[in-house]
Amino acid sequence: MVSSSASFLVPFLLVLLSSIIAPSLAIPASDINNLCSGSRDATFCLSFLKSDPRFASAADLAGVAQVAVEIGSAKATDTLNFVKEMAKKSTERRPREIYLTCSENYDNAVSSFADAKAYMSSKDFAGAGYAVSAVLDDADTCNEETEGADPSLPQRNQDVESICSLILYINTKL
């Protein structure tokens, strides 16, 4: 009986000790600060990288970029759903045209983010960069003519553009 308890206890203690002794895999805050200080918008960068706990546990910059792609994808999907819903609700021709155009843009953006996720998973950072650049273009195209649309649409576009710009910046460091 003692030997069966001991045989269970030894592996458990080894795992426990290794988790205590093992160095942290997270990127130090000073590295994040240095990264953001070189970005186009350091304030956005720091705020964004503190906005989700997954960033704090990323093992390296590739992990940070992967989380950013996931968040960007969610933001693009949210914007796609928003413009589709607004297109259904809109009774005026001009706003409806804006929403339909943006819906096409964000359909493409969501698809490009899916490509970027796949590229990131396979460590093809150049491919991920091309895919994220396509998202940036789609958000920018949607943002070109938003007069007459819901006032939150330009900010939604700006959020996606800022995330994409940050991902592209991080990508240059990989």
Side-chain angles (χ1 to χ4, degrees), residues 12 24-25 27 34 38 53 56 60 89 91 103 127 136 146 149 159 172:
F12 174 76
S24 171
L25 293 177
I27 296 176
N34 289 337
D60 55 18
K89 290 180 179 180
T91 57
S103 178
L136 185 59
T146 57
D159 290 347
T172 66

Side-chain angles (χ1 to χ4, degrees), residues 68-83:
V69 166
E70 290 169 9
I71 293 171
S73 178
K75 182 68 86 170
T77 299
D78 180 60
T79 302
L80 172 62
N81 293 335
F82 171 78
V83 294

Side-chain angles (χ1 to χ4, degrees), residues 7-70:
S7 65
F8 169 75
L9 191 57
V10 170
F12 174 76
L13 288 174
L14 288 174
V15 169
L16 181 64
L17 283 174
S18 68
S19 67
I20 293 170
I21 296 171
S24 171
L25 293 177
I27 296 176
S30 61
D31 288 355
I32 295 296
N33 290 336
N34 289 337
L35 173 72
C36 288
S37 69
S39 70
R40 186 173 57 141
D41 186 347
T43 303
F44 172 79
C45 178
L46 285 170
S47 171
F48 181 71
L49 295 181
K50 292 178 182 177
S51 71
D52 191 296
R54 293 176 292 173
F55 288 121
S57 61
D60 55 18
L61 278 181
V64 170
Q66 181 72 37
V67 172
V69 166
E70 290 169 9

Side-chain angles (χ1 to χ4, degrees), residues 95-147:
R96 184 163 167 37
E97 288 173 354
I98 293 168
Y99 297 130
L100 290 173
T101 298
C102 287
S103 178
E104 290 175 24
N105 295 132
Y106 276 97
D107 267 333
N108 293 336
V110 168
S111 176
S112 293
F113 263 130
D115 292 342
K117 285 181 190 180
Y119 287 128
M120 289 298 296
S121 292
S122 66
K123 306 290 186 213
D124 180 355
F125 304 122
Y130 289 124
V132 171
S133 291
V135 175
L136 185 59
D137 289 344
D138 288 322
D140 186 54
T141 300
C142 176
N143 208 33
E144 286 176 0
E145 293 187 41
T146 57
E147 190 174 323

